[in-house]
Amino acid sequence: MKIAVLGAGAMGCLYGGALAEAGHEVWLIDVWKQHVDTINKNGLKIEGVSGERIIKDIKATTKPEDVGKADLVIVFVKATLTGEAVKGSVTLIGDNTTFLTLQNGLGNIEKISEVAGRERVIAGVTAHGSTMLGPGHIRHAGQGDTSIGELDGEITERVKTLSGMFNEAGFHTYVVDNVIGMVWSKLMANIGINALTALTGLQNGQLLEFRETEELLELAVKEAAEVAEKKGIKLQCEDPVEYTKKVCKLTAANRSSMLQDVTNKRTTEIEVINGAIVREGENLGVPTPINKTLTNLISVIQKSYN
Ligand code: KPL
């Protein structure tokens, strides 16, 4: 299969690298020229949970038009850039191109659908952890499951094919019939973990070591769960607070993506995580003061970058 990975950050490289090793034609697309050049010259280096290897049989480019038409586009750009990235990649779209978003936050499905058409879009969530170590070099920090599904819940051949392909590439993958509920459940974990770790500098697991951060995590997630309920979203986890705490424990040593972003003075995904809950809450009449506070504090940090 010809696969384009839109956004060759740590997660994009992890998935793209493993799919290339499994024999697929993989193109990594990213704006970071030094990263692209390094991969084309030296290959993609992956270290971590499954040992260290260099994947040579993979291509990278800054220009989507170099790729031609793709069978599968895996969207891994930061969620705030999804619309722009997909608009800039229309040359990838052929008659049977499918887009898969495995990104954090809300709004990715809608942004991709606006450009490519909703029928092309499959969504999913991943619990793998990956960190960018430098150009062409990532660390696979933690294993986890991947769940993917059609937006309407139908179990189609294409989603079964993709799941089989991911399993062959070493990603333990399930097909689910409530992928929107999965996306929102993952959102609960990001709501409870990302901003708090970015504000405190703590690793995910450490949030549970302090009464204050544990309490804020609980309050933020409860607000978000109320928003989900009012919106009619059926979460895939029974107790969103317990689920979030479980994610903290499973990814205890992780520095969350938002902590990595503020450390490197990059724009964070706050607007599509806690910020999105605030906006949804406003529309539905659900108060979200903790999420509003977290959003405002992260916004101030972003504004103060120099
Ligand atoms: O998705 C994550 C992130 O950092 O964005 C979690 C689940 C919090 C793991 O670090």
Side-chain angles (χ1 to χ4, degrees), residues 210-239:
F210 300 92
R211 186 186 48 77
E212 295 87 344
T213 44
E214 185 173 13
E215 191 182 3
L216 283 166
L217 174 152
E218 289 169 2
L219 292 170
V221 173
K222 278 186 191 152
E223 284 178 7
E226 253 183 80
V227 171
E229 197 184 338
K230 194 77 184 275
K231 204 175 158 70
I233 304 285
K234 194 174 163 300
L235 293 178
Q236 281 297 99
C237 51
E238 279 199 359
D239 181 336

Side-chain angles (χ1 to χ4, degrees), residues 122 147-163 174-179 236:
I122 287 178
S147 311
I148 59 173
E150 296 282 352
L151 304 183
D152 63 4
E154 205 187 322
I155 310 294
T156 57
E157 281 311 313
R158 77 167 169 177
V159 84
K160 284 197 271 186
T161 304
L162 289 187
S163 159
Y174 299 94
V175 174
V176 293
D177 63 4
N178 176 19
V179 78
Q236 281 297 99

Side-chain angles (χ1 to χ4, degrees), residues 98-102 109 112 118-124 148-151 156 158-159 162 179:
T98 295
F99 282 74
L100 169 66
T101 161
L102 291 172
I109 294 170
I112 300 169
R118 198 171 163 88
E119 67 291 348
R120 291 186 190 275
V121 185
I122 287 178
I148 59 173
E150 296 282 352
L151 304 183
T156 57
R158 77 167 169 177
V159 84
L162 289 187
V179 78

Side-chain angles (χ1 to χ4, degrees), residues 104 126-129 186 189-190 193-194 197 204 247 251 254-260 269 273:
N104 281 340
T126 169
H128 281 271
K186 171 90 190 284
N190 294 131
I193 298 172
N194 291 28
T197 49
N204 296 355
V247 175
T251 62
N254 268 30
R255 287 163 55 79
S256 79
S257 54
M258 202 174 287
L259 173 55
Q260 293 184 47
E269 293 183 319
I273 299 178

Side-chain angles (χ1 to χ4, degrees), residues 184-197:
W184 273 77
S185 300
K186 171 90 190 284
L187 178 73
M188 296 296 136
N190 294 131
I191 291 275
I193 298 172
N194 291 28
L196 282 172
T197 49

